[in-house]
Amino acid sequence: MEVLHLSINEQNMQIFDSTKLGLLSSLSNSSSLMYSGASFLLNPIFVHGFSGSFHLVLLLALCVSFVWKKPMRGEGSAERFRNNKRFLCYKQTLLCSSGVSVFNLFLCLISYFYCYENGWSDVELVNLFDVVLRTLSWGAISVYLYTLNSGEKKFSFLLRVWWVFYFSISCYSLAVDFLFYHKLESSEVRYLISDIVSVFTALFLCYVGFLRHETQDSLLQQPFLNVDISSNTSNAPTSGSNKSRGGDEVTTFANAGPFSILTFYWMNSLIASGNQKTLSLEDVPQLDSLDSVFRGFPAFRNKLESHNGAASRVTPFKLVKALFLSAWKEILWTALLAIIHTSASYAGPYLIDAFVRCLDGRGKYRNQGYILASTFFVAKLVECISQRHWFFRLQQVGFRHRAVITTMIYNKGLTLSNQSKQGQTSGEIINIMTVDADRIGDFSWYMHDPWLILFQVGLALLILYQNLGLASVAAFVATIVVMLINYPLGRLQETFQDKLMASKDKRMRATTEILRNMRILKLQGWEMKFLSKILELRDVETGWLKKYVYNSAMVMSVFWLAPTLVAVATFGACMLIGIPLESGKILSALATFRVLQIPIYNLPDTLSMTVQTKVSLDRIASYLCLDDLRSDVLEKHPIGGSDAAIEIADGNFSWDLSSPSATLKDINLRVLHGMRVAVCGTVGSGKSSLLSCILGELHKISGTLKLCGTMAYVAQSAWIQSGKIEENILFGKEMDRERYERVLEACSLNKDLEIMPFGDQTVIGERGINLSGGQKQRTQIARALYHDADIYLFDDPFSAVDAHTGSHLFKEVILGLLSTKTVIYVTHQVEYLPAADLILVMKDGRIAQAGKYADILCLGSDFMDLVGAHEAALAVLDSKQKGPASGTDGIMQKKGKLDYENGKSDKVAEPKAQIIQEEERETGSVGFPIYWNYITTAYGGGLVPFILLAQILFQVLQIGSNYWMVWAAPVSKDAKPFVSASTLVLVYVLLAIGSSVCILARATLHATAGYKTATLLFNKMHLCIFRAPMSFFDATPSGRIINRVSTDQTAVETRIPYLIGALAFSVIQLLGIIAVMSQVAWQVFIVFIPVIAACIWYQRYYISSARELSRLVGVCKAPIIQHFAETIAGATTIRSFDQQSRFQETNMKVTDAYSRTKFHIAGAMEWLCFRLDMFSSVTFAFSLAFLVSFRSSIDPAIAGLAVTYGLNLNMLQASVIWNLCDCENKIISVERIIQYMSIPSEPPLVVEANRPGRSWPSHGEVVINNLQVRYAPQLPLVLRGLTCTFPGGKKTGIVGRTGSGKSTLIQTLFRIVEPAAGRIMIDDIDISSIGLHDLRSRLSIIPQDPTMFEGTVRSNLDPIEEYTDEQIWEALDKCQLGDEVRKKETKLDSTVIENGENWSMGQRQLVCLGRVLLKKSKVLVLDEATASVDTSTDNLIQQTLRQHFSDCTVITIAHRITSVLDSDMVLLLSHGLIEEYDSPARLLENKASSFAQLVAEYRVRSNATSMS
């Protein structure tokens, strides 16, 4: 049978050859009959000469046409493309023409070098003439198309005729090539390839040149053209269209076609837009619904709950399971792409041995070299495309995971119980959101690595086994050993990471608290002391960071050397077993190790990221397991369900269930609809706790609590959101203008809004920073009124406003708008009690007395104590009114008021700008100084040369060791080896040891430089932040600062050093590859140069968009943090208004805004990398073509080495550009930190040349001369020329309506705000001439907002540790807190939680009093110091002050008239001017004075109390 088959095959071959020869013979004979000498028509000289001649004619015709028609000038390419969109496939035609020109250019180079090597024959000269003219003519066609006149309706007649003729020539040439294919040499296959390309391109050009015009519109709807149209639309001049585009249009990815998705063409419009202008958030399209958290979070929550159950706790495993199930399709798709990419990447190592044999002349069939080169090229294309989409989809999964985790953390923050908040402060929770949630998203990069590494190792071992047999076992064992070495390092990494995160949490908790209370720190002169505390916490964090980075360096060193160690083990096993080492097999093994090197390099990162992610998952799961507010505490019923609005029976409630005693005990209360209930009692008696109990904020120990109707709550400490005043009042409700105006009038806000630069559109800073205390309180009262609830809870809202405003509020709000509502109000002011239907007197957590005012007045001592204190204050008032007038000369200053009313001071309203501006961000490229600043921060950049030298030596030794193995090993079994096998392996081992030393030194130095740089930048940034003026904190939401000290700082510590190192190292590796390849075929440089130029052009085109997108990421992250921080602070208010869903929706919106910038950054990066990969693949293909074409003059082994390195060319070439772009994107974190290192500083803390004496101020006289103050240059004056003197050793009271400038005057005294004009003198020293610390440390203040810091009672009273315990106890006794502290088990070491939440507002105020009693300054300022305490405690405080500060200058701002009546002088401010300034008695004598009117009004309320 075999003989029969052979004979049949031989017969068939003979028939085929005879047929072909007959055909050629007949053609020849017919030609000779038709025309003598016509055989030259099939001669290559005629074919190429004919083609070149007609290309020359076309070139001349185009030149004439170009000159004659004068193409349009001054019109941009974008405009030209838009005008030429009427042409069918215009851009594709231009691209095709340019491609043909470039293709012929490379063909020209190949032909030239072939002739250079093999001589100049006639055929080759004519062919070279043809391809040169083809290159020029198609280049001219490209220029002609680019400059095409927009008035034309179709492609010119000349072009269409030429395309037909070109198609004919190409088909003729291809036919000739086919007839002579059996005669073509391997080097002449390029003719066949050229003609095939020509036929297909000519066919496409004829198609677009003659296709009917009607089909144009339908084809324009294709994705790749539609993108271009939208991009031009986006460049329209109307800004409004841009905004709607950014706000409404969904990303083009959502509707992109297959071609657009494959090539990332859908990113073109955004990148083009960014290349023409600075991108803003409005330019970034919205996410597709699949990527939006609005769709993703419900699915994730359902998955978590379905596998978790209502009662079960959230565990890290359940979180991972829910995350996987919420995106399982995308995860499986990325897994498939990873398998395709890995398989394609091993095609090169598998084929390299055959390629070397082919170059050595041992190929199995003709043109095997070109077929292998084509296979290499196709495999490389598949590898590149699959990798790009693998990476993009991984990031897409990461964005979704980060968004849903962020949303879950936010939602949990809205439901946390008070006890849980004590265990997790806002700083720690914010850290979980900013760091841990991001880490979950970043882990998507690494999710497939654990199993993918096994797959890659398996493929590598198969290839090694095929080439080296049993020696592959040694490679497998060596790989396992290297991985096992990683186990103890991994455990250390996990420990260090855990400790690092814990220490970072402590620092962030302290930082958040300090930023929130920066004003009090500056007033007390404590900011540098608290900075030192931050630096101490940072030192602990730095200790763990140092261990972490050095351990990472060790892990990185081990795995950088892993391929070399595996190679040593493998080649050593070959030597021992006796397996011959041929250059082809060695190259295949080296190529395998190099491909395997990538997952092994990534393994340390994978391990580190896995450890970090596990820690983050544990932290998130622990946070999600914290106790929520119990829903069974409160029974809610709709209005009308009962005659009682509030009903508590046998209620016992506690803030802390672990506490031995309940906070509220034996509470029995029944409040009917429409009742007014007043709650009073001494400081710490449980008044606020009772309201919190009704809100459902306390744990219920026993009893029942029923509520009927909706609620509105006004907290004692005002909670104001960042945003417009109108937004704060509406609080999510629709605008009802009539109701809105009524509310403003009732809350006395109209006058305040009139003097604000933007009225109710004025943007309020964080925590209402640019509003006075009274304005904040009235704003939140307005919010409650507008809500139109059934039940109103007021926690002492009148203490923060002046007496006149308080009286107005009580009358218009409590007795007016809310006359038919159920109202419970806590108050310390006895004059508001008689109007109540029910009064509750609290004592020690119990309702001590309950009833109407007249009834309980006779029942016991508790209520009598409060009323008695009030009557004592009235007695002082009566004595003042009846007593003689003081002899002090007074100032009755009415002119300023009249001037204001007559509009003479209209300059006040000139500059108008919001205090809270958009976050500042740099624009344009990141300047070289940023890089230089970063590189030279540590040791002046002294380590950088040594790091680079170590990496260069490592690369040289790596190349040298591979070169040695290839050069010294025989090409085949028959060749004689240059050296023995033992020498071969020994030299390789020595070179490997040298490279090990270099890489270890490089890793250690790199870690040192990165760690030191991060530490120095941290210290400098924090010093600048703490030294920044208060105006910086007023205008900068803390979320922006926290973003820099957490997210940006983390990037500087871990990410940026790695990126900059990777950039430098990839450049060194790329140069090494170019050097190796140029050793074999220096002609490859001619390919490298244009490709590198094209890559750089693409990088510059891309980077402008990517840079601005990266900056937008930083800008979009801050609102998430800020919104979360505000939500945590106001969770009680949000819950009381039942606004949780609205706040959750807002959080998802800002999360999507952040995700959409991240999504488009990923798309832009892959857009660039796809194009770079294509360039790299083409470069590699041409390099292979050079090697195959000139193989006769090349050493096959060295050529194989060049191919081995060339397999990584696309990865390294793209890696250089990738790292360059990623580095520029991430270096923005350094830019943002340096931006904060340039904050204008406050004046110096100490002026050595002008330091006051130790006893200053000895007298305490304060002289104010023409003082003018504004908070910012663009804002109006607040104080408008004050001139007065506060006598030394006297008490001066400052009164005035809310917003009149009282607190501003005090801030100017402490130089929190610097005067715009005028000056303040204290004991003849201008306070502006001395250092801030010298000034603030000599003055004392009890601020308007009482502040306590997390820590102990001792650390709160004496934060700078200046006083003994005896002195602290003495101060506590003086401020009436001694007994309260002694009751606590740990006395002075009793815990104070964040914000002092476990102390009442009044107790916090008393702690502030204790601080000034310890300090004993000569000048004391009381800024609403007794606003949060009852009248009895107020009297005790006043008595304490009179006793211990009798010889001091005391400046008191008070809303209670009785607090300033015993002052020596009273200053009344109005609209930033002095209205009255005299002794109280003299002012009271003049019944027309404003002060006398305030007192009279106070007496009216008090008399009403007495009559009741």
Side-chain angles (χ1 to χ4, degrees), residues 498-677:
D498 203 0
K499 297 290 187 183
L500 177 61
M501 291 308 299
S503 58
K504 191 183 290 289
D505 279 346
K506 289 182 180 178
R507 173 177 64 82
M508 285 307 302
R509 184 168 67 229
T511 303
T512 305
E513 185 176 48
I514 287 169
L515 291 175
R516 188 168 51 245
N517 299 303
M518 185 58 77
R519 184 177 300 276
I520 184 62
L521 295 184
K522 288 190 175 291
L523 286 170
Q524 300 283 4
W526 291 343
E527 67 267 36
M528 300 314 293
K529 177 65 179 179
F530 276 76
L531 173 61
S532 68
K533 289 186 177 182
I534 292 291
L535 295 180
E536 287 172 9
L537 291 171
R538 174 65 182 177
D539 287 341
V540 176
E541 182 185 350
T542 302
W544 293 114
L545 176 64
K546 191 174 183 179
K547 293 176 182 177
Y548 175 80
V549 296
Y550 281 125
N551 190 73
S552 297
M554 185 62 67
V555 172
M556 191 63 71
S557 300
V558 169
F559 284 96
W560 266 85
L561 293 169
T564 305
L565 297 176
V566 174
V568 167
T570 305
F571 295 147
C574 289
M575 181 190 69
L576 295 175
I577 297 173
I579 297 174
L581 289 173
E582 301 171 12
S583 58
K585 293 179 179 179
I586 289 174
L587 285 171
S588 178
L590 289 176
T592 303
F593 297 147
R594 286 183 68 82
V595 176
L596 187 61
Q597 191 176 28
I598 298 169
I600 292 181
Y601 280 173
N602 290 337
L603 189 58
D605 279 346
T606 302
L607 180 72
S608 172
M609 197 64 190
T610 303
V611 168
Q612 294 177 39
T613 306
K614 180 182 178 298
V615 171
S616 293
L617 282 168
D618 289 339
R619 284 156 50 84
I620 292 170
S622 299
Y623 167 72
L624 294 177
C625 288
L626 291 174
D627 291 334
D628 289 337
L629 290 170
R630 296 285 297 274
S631 57
D632 59 352
V633 171
L634 191 63
E635 295 179 27
K636 284 193 175 183
H637 302 282
I639 189 72
S642 169
D643 61 339
I646 301 167
E647 189 171 1
I648 306 175
D650 301 322
N652 289 279
F653 303 89
S654 179
W655 286 111
D656 185 358
L657 286 176
S658 61
S659 176
S661 61
T663 306
L664 296 176
K665 299 175 277 290
D666 304 324
I667 303 298
N668 288 280
L669 177 63
R670 181 179 171 85
V671 180
L672 301 179
H673 289 289
M675 284 184 66
R676 281 194 296 272
V677 180

Side-chain angles (χ1 to χ4, degrees), residues 1440-1471:
T1440 302
L1441 293 175
R1442 281 193 294 269
Q1443 181 180 349
H1444 298 285
F1445 292 92
S1446 57
D1447 59 341
C1448 299
T1449 302
V1450 179
I1451 303 170
T1452 304
I1453 295 177
H1455 291 148
R1456 286 180 182 162
I1457 297 298
T1458 54
S1459 298
V1460 296
L1461 280 176
D1462 65 342
S1463 300
D1464 299 295
M1465 298 290 287
V1466 172
L1467 174 68
L1468 195 149
L1469 294 177
S1470 177
H1471 303 299

Side-chain angles (χ1 to χ4, degrees), residues 311-551:
S312 180
R313 293 172 63 85
V314 176
T315 64
F317 174 74
K318 291 174 182 176
L319 269 179
V320 171
K321 189 174 181 181
L323 287 170
F324 173 78
L325 292 175
S326 65
W328 66 272
K329 292 180 182 177
E330 289 79 6
I331 292 174
L332 292 181
W333 174 236
T334 56
L336 177 62
L337 289 172
I339 291 172
I340 294 172
H341 168 263
T342 302
S343 302
S345 67
Y346 278 96
Y350 180 77
L351 296 173
I352 190 69
D353 187 24
F355 190 72
V356 171
R357 287 200 303 269
C358 178
L359 293 180
D360 194 35
R362 292 181 287 146
K364 293 182 179 179
Y365 47 87
R366 181 185 299 174
N367 296 320
Q368 183 186 11
Y370 286 104
I371 293 173
L372 285 173
S374 301
T375 307
F376 276 125
F377 178 62
V378 171
K380 189 58 67 177
L381 285 179
V382 172
E383 176 190 349
C384 294
I385 292 172
S386 59
Q387 185 182 47
R388 296 280 64 85
H389 288 275
W390 173 30
F391 283 0
F392 177 71
R393 297 291 180 173
L394 282 179
Q395 293 179 80
Q396 194 177 16
V397 171
F399 303 150
R400 295 182 188 178
H401 284 173
R402 192 204 65 80
V404 296
I405 288 292
T406 298
T407 306
M408 180 67 79
I409 292 169
Y410 178 89
N411 292 354
K412 182 70 177 182
L414 271 172
T415 62
L416 281 179
S417 67
N418 185 71
Q419 190 173 357
S420 297
K421 284 185 178 179
Q422 293 184 27
Q424 290 275 344
T425 64
S426 59
E428 290 175 318
I429 298 172
I430 288 170
N431 213 23
I432 290 173
M433 176 179 274
T434 56
V435 178
D436 294 303
D438 278 358
R439 190 161 289 132
I440 300 299
D442 292 341
F443 182 70
S444 61
W445 281 100
Y446 306 88
M447 66 168 65
H448 295 304
D449 284 5
W451 65 265
L452 192 58
I453 287 173
L454 298 177
F455 179 65
Q456 290 166 325
V457 170
L459 282 179
L461 290 175
L462 285 175
I463 295 172
L464 289 173
Y465 182 77
Q466 178 187 356
N467 290 316
L468 301 177
L470 290 176
S472 61
V473 176
F476 176 71
V477 172
T479 303
I480 296 299
V481 168
V482 169
M483 290 184 174
L484 288 176
I485 292 173
N486 190 65
Y487 179 75
L489 294 174
R491 292 297 300 272
L492 281 174
Q493 196 86 332
E494 182 176 1
T495 302
F496 295 154
Q497 176 68 23
D498 203 0
K499 297 290 187 183
L500 177 61
M501 291 308 299
S503 58
K504 191 183 290 289
D505 279 346
K506 289 182 180 178
R507 173 177 64 82
M508 285 307 302
R509 184 168 67 229
T511 303
T512 305
E513 185 176 48
I514 287 169
L515 291 175
R516 188 168 51 245
N517 299 303
M518 185 58 77
R519 184 177 300 276
I520 184 62
L521 295 184
K522 288 190 175 291
L523 286 170
Q524 300 283 4
W526 291 343
E527 67 267 36
M528 300 314 293
K529 177 65 179 179
F530 276 76
L531 173 61
S532 68
K533 289 186 177 182
I534 292 291
L535 295 180
E536 287 172 9
L537 291 171
R538 174 65 182 177
D539 287 341
V540 176
E541 182 185 350
T542 302
W544 293 114
L545 176 64
K546 191 174 183 179
K547 293 176 182 177
Y548 175 80
V549 296
Y550 281 125
N551 190 73

Side-chain angles (χ1 to χ4, degrees), residues 860-1121:
S861 61
D862 296 319
F863 189 62
M864 280 299 299
D865 288 343
L866 297 173
V867 176
H870 177 64
E871 290 177 347
L874 286 178
V876 173
L877 175 61
D878 291 337
S879 67
K880 286 286 180 183
Q881 282 193 304
K882 295 174 184 178
S886 170
T888 309
D889 292 333
I891 301 172
M892 299 294 289
Q893 202 167 13
K894 294 285 185 179
K895 185 177 184 297
K897 181 178 179 183
L898 292 174
D899 286 347
Y900 179 82
E901 291 170 352
N902 294 332
K904 293 180 182 177
S905 300
D906 52 356
K907 66 176 183 179
V908 172
E910 279 176 8
K912 288 191 175 184
Q914 301 282 17
I915 188 170
I916 304 296
Q917 302 292 328
E918 290 290 328
E919 181 169 3
E920 180 184 355
R921 65 183 176 106
E922 303 291 338
T923 56
S925 62
V926 177
F928 177 74
I930 300 293
Y931 291 95
W932 184 253
N933 199 327
Y934 178 80
I935 291 170
T936 58
T937 295
Y939 308 107
L943 294 181
V944 175
F946 295 102
I947 294 171
L948 294 176
L949 178 62
Q951 180 65 28
I952 291 170
L953 288 175
F954 170 75
Q955 189 66 26
V956 168
L957 290 172
Q958 286 277 293
I959 293 173
S961 61
N962 294 336
Y963 198 94
W964 163 258
M965 291 296 292
V966 172
W967 176 81
V971 177
S972 63
K973 295 180 181 178
D974 302 328
K976 182 180 179 180
F978 290 100
V979 295
S980 64
S982 58
T983 304
L984 180 71
V985 175
L986 180 62
V987 172
Y988 186 78
V989 170
L990 291 175
L991 291 172
I993 292 172
S995 63
S996 303
V997 173
C998 290
I999 201 62
L1000 183 62
R1002 194 272 291 170
T1004 305
L1005 292 174
H1006 188 210
T1008 302
Y1011 146 78
K1012 189 67 176 177
T1013 300
T1015 302
L1016 291 173
L1017 288 176
F1018 177 93
N1019 293 343
K1020 291 177 182 177
M1021 175 176 64
H1022 276 71
L1023 177 61
C1024 290
I1025 289 173
F1026 275 71
R1027 289 287 295 117
M1030 200 60 220
S1031 58
F1032 168 76
F1033 299 96
D1034 292 346
T1036 307
S1038 62
R1040 294 182 189 173
I1041 305 175
I1042 290 171
N1043 199 16
R1044 280 170 170 82
V1045 302
S1046 60
T1047 306
D1048 290 325
Q1049 183 64 36
T1050 300
V1052 170
E1053 289 170 355
T1054 56
R1055 186 67 179 155
I1056 292 175
Y1058 169 78
L1059 278 176
I1060 290 183
L1063 174 61
F1065 307 150
S1066 58
V1067 168
I1068 292 170
Q1069 286 180 291
L1070 181 62
L1071 292 175
I1073 287 180
I1074 293 173
V1076 170
M1077 295 185 75
S1078 64
Q1079 287 292 313
V1080 181
W1082 62 267
Q1083 298 89 345
V1084 80
F1085 271 116
I1086 299 173
V1087 181
F1088 270 128
I1089 291 170
V1091 166
I1092 291 293
C1095 288
I1096 292 173
W1097 182 88
Y1098 262 109
Q1099 188 267 340
R1100 301 317 303 168
Y1101 183 78
Y1102 148 89
I1103 196 62
S1104 55
S1105 301
R1107 185 193 309 117
E1108 298 308 321
L1109 285 171
S1110 293
R1111 287 175 172 141
L1112 285 173
V1113 165
V1115 171
C1116 290
K1117 179 112 182 177
I1120 299 176
I1121 301 171

Side-chain angles (χ1 to χ4, degrees), residues 678 836-841 849-856 859:
D837 299 314
L838 176 67
I839 298 173
L840 304 178
V841 183
Q849 294 173 269
K852 286 186 173 292
Y853 184 83
D855 298 335
I856 63 173
L859 291 179

